[in-house]
């Protein structure tokens, strides 16, 4: 079975071909970051227009790279939500039109389920049931994953997502969007013992997160320095990153202890952060819970995870009508 995957939920166009026998046969990614950089965030209309320009040529290229003709493709998977509605509609319309022309099923994939399954594209994979921490620009969620499409929400951010907090703090520090990689790079130059930032909501029970107060704390620390030097900014970046990663470690440890599960997936853009990966080694030592990550290039948005997730649903017999429906807001617990 071979699936063409299309990801257009935000500011990356991803197109991939995944085959259940041969694995990932093509994986193309085009990032629009430069287009949005001067606005300090994603401009939805610009994103949609760029997806329109890029998606079809990238599909041609992915088919060529994987030596696939139309007849070799068994289904087309696309991101149906959550995300920017215009951007989602571009991918959905293209996927449904091609599926109609090629007489094959189209499969709408939940973007966060794509992230969640991305580690399955690697050699080391967890077995159900396992825990998952999804940390992206729009979501911070702890899930109990019982099987494909069977996800129970254990906790989530009550305000900003972890990636969003990275992006906003980066903006404060005068760094370019997306902020996560920029903060990670700057934090490498920081002195660890200069500041200690709070670990929000770790002193009360539960598995929810809140990063908005930490963002304000960061801003106030910056404001209290008359003319912040590069070193001041690096120290602040490190203190912020350490507070986020340590908060995540505490919540992951709690989730592992509460559920008794001993495998955990960490996925979504923020899972690319090396400081987070190091901090979570400590959680593994504390609880014995083994952690699985996607390959670095599959942490952020990509078509491969959508093709892979689509294939899993295809194997379960999933197909849908030709009606074009996207869901900009879509709780993952409604899958299954
Ligand atoms: O999963 P993703 O590509 O898109 C969404 O589904 O949101 O995640 C993007 C988010 C951005 O907020 C970005 O700043 C963050 O992931 N991110 C990182 C790193 N790389 C990307 N955050 C921290 N450290 C990184 N290395
Ligand atoms: Zn994403």
């Amino acid at each position: 079975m071979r699936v063409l995957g299309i990801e257009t939920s935000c500011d990356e166009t991803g197109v991939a071909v995944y085959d259940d026998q041969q694995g990932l046969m093509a994986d193309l990614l085009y990032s629009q970051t430069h287009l949005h950089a001067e606005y300090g965030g994603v401009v939805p209309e610009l994103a949609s227009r760029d997806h329109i320009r890029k998606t079809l040529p990238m599909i041609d290229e992915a088919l060529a790279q994987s030596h696939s003709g139309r007849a070799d493709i068994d289904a087309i998977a696309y991101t149906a939500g959550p995300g920017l509605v215009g951007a989602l509609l571009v991918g959905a319309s293209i996927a449904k039109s091609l599926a109609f022309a090629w007489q094959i099923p189209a499969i709408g994939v939940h973007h966060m389920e794509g992230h969640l399954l991305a580690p399955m594209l690697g050699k080391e994979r967890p077995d159900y049931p396992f825990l998952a921490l999804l940390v992206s620009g729009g979501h911070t969620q702890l899930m109990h994953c019982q099987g494909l499409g069977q996800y129970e929400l254990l906790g989530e951010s009550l305000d900003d997502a972890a990636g969003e907090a990275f992006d906003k703090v980066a903006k404060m520090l005068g760094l370019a969007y997306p902020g996560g990689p920029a903060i990670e790079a700057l934090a490498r130059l920081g002195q660890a013992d200069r500041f200690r930032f709070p670990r929000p909501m770790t002193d009360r029970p539960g598995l929810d997160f809140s990063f908005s107060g930490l963002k304000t704390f960061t801003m106030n620390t910056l404001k209290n320095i008359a003319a912040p030097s590069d070193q001041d900014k690096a120290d602040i970046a490190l203190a912020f990153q350490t507070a986020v990663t340590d908060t995540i470690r505490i919540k992951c440890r709690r989730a592992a202890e509460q559920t008794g599960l001993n495998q955990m997936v960490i996925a979504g853009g923020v899972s690319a952060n090396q400081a987070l990966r190091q901090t979570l080694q400590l959680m593994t030592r504390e609880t014995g819970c083994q952690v699985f990550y996607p390959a670095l290039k599959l942490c952020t948005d990509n078509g491969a995870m959508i093709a892979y997730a689509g294939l899993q649903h295809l194997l379960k017999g999933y197909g849908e009508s030709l009606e074009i429906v996207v869901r900009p807001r879509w709780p993952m617990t409604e899958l299954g």
Side-chain angles (χ1 to χ4, degrees), residues 28-112:
L28 304 180
L29 190 71
Y30 167 77
S31 174
Q32 306 176 346
T33 311
H34 60 282
L35 207 70
H36 306 287
E38 65 175 296
Y39 304 100
V42 180
V43 183
E45 181 61 20
L46 293 181
S48 313
R49 290 186 206 179
D50 219 35
H51 286 307
I52 291 173
R53 273 192 292 270
K54 295 291 174 194
T55 308
L56 280 172
M58 286 173 68
I59 290 174
D60 282 340
E61 178 67 26
L63 293 177
Q65 272 190 22
S66 62
H67 304 290
S68 306
R70 289 176 185 193
D72 300 316
I73 302 294
D74 296 294
I76 304 181
Y78 65 96
T79 304
L84 302 171
V85 66
L88 290 168
L89 279 169
V90 175
S93 311
I94 291 174
K96 291 266 170 149
S97 312
L98 281 179
F100 175 66
W102 297 356
Q103 293 292 296
I104 54 176
I107 299 171
V109 170
H110 191 293
H111 180 79
M112 297 312 292

Side-chain angles (χ1 to χ4, degrees), residues 29-310:
L29 190 71
Y30 167 77
S31 174
Q32 306 176 346
T33 311
H34 60 282
L35 207 70
H36 306 287
E38 65 175 296
Y39 304 100
V42 180
V43 183
E45 181 61 20
L46 293 181
S48 313
R49 290 186 206 179
D50 219 35
H51 286 307
I52 291 173
R53 273 192 292 270
K54 295 291 174 194
T55 308
L56 280 172
M58 286 173 68
I59 290 174
D60 282 340
E61 178 67 26
L63 293 177
Q65 272 190 22
S66 62
H67 304 290
S68 306
R70 289 176 185 193
D72 300 316
I73 302 294
D74 296 294
I76 304 181
Y78 65 96
T79 304
L84 302 171
V85 66
L88 290 168
L89 279 169
V90 175
S93 311
I94 291 174
K96 291 266 170 149
S97 312
L98 281 179
F100 175 66
W102 297 356
Q103 293 292 296
I104 54 176
I107 299 171
V109 170
H110 191 293
H111 180 79
M112 297 312 292
E113 187 181 41
H115 277 303
L116 167 66
L117 297 177
M120 306 293 189
L121 286 152
K123 286 200 181 75
E124 296 219 344
R125 307 155 173 217
D127 296 313
Y128 293 108
F130 56 82
L131 281 166
L133 173 75
L134 304 177
V135 266
S136 71
H139 294 80
T140 301
Q141 296 183 321
L142 265 166
M143 310 288 252
H144 180 170
C145 308
Q146 287 128 3
L148 183 74
Q150 306 291 316
Y151 311 119
E152 182 196 350
L153 184 65
L154 301 175
E156 64 184 334
S157 178
L158 304 178
D159 40 58
D160 292 357
E164 191 180 356
F166 268 97
D167 294 336
K168 288 178 177 168
V169 167
K171 208 169 179 178
M172 280 175 216
L173 294 171
L175 303 171
Y177 174 86
I183 296 243
E184 181 173 5
L186 184 61
R188 283 203 197 96
L189 310 172
Q191 303 169 62
D193 46 5
R194 170 105 180 266
F195 300 109
R196 186 182 158 86
F197 286 12
R199 275 62 169 153
M201 294 183 68
T202 52
D203 54 354
R204 48 181 125 149
L207 296 170
D208 286 333
F209 299 84
S210 164
F211 292 112
S212 169
L214 179 59
K215 187 186 63 189
T216 310
F217 189 95
T218 309
M219 179 145 55
N220 290 339
T221 307
L222 187 65
K223 275 191 184 153
N224 284 338
I225 304 172
S229 65
D230 288 349
Q231 188 60 52
D232 293 330
K233 290 183 184 173
D235 296 345
I236 288 173
L238 178 59
F240 165 77
Q241 178 175 265
T242 306
V244 173
T245 55
D246 204 38
T247 301
I248 289 175
R249 173 187 66 80
I250 293 165
K251 296 285 174 168
C252 287
R253 182 182 65 194
R254 200 175 283 176
E257 285 166 355
Q258 279 182 16
T259 59
L261 294 171
N262 60 5
Q263 298 178 100
M264 184 180 297
V265 158
I266 315 282
V270 183
S271 70
N273 188 286
Q274 295 303 308
L276 176 65
R277 292 186 177 209
Q278 273 164 21
T279 307
L280 287 174
Q281 279 177 7
L282 195 61
M283 193 272 305
T284 297
R285 284 202 289 277
E286 288 167 341
T287 62
C289 186
Q290 192 186 355
V291 180
F292 297 82
Y293 297 96
L296 266 192
K297 65 177 287 220
L298 299 180
C299 288
T300 42
D301 293 350
N302 62 83
M305 66 185 193
I306 302 303
Y308 179 83

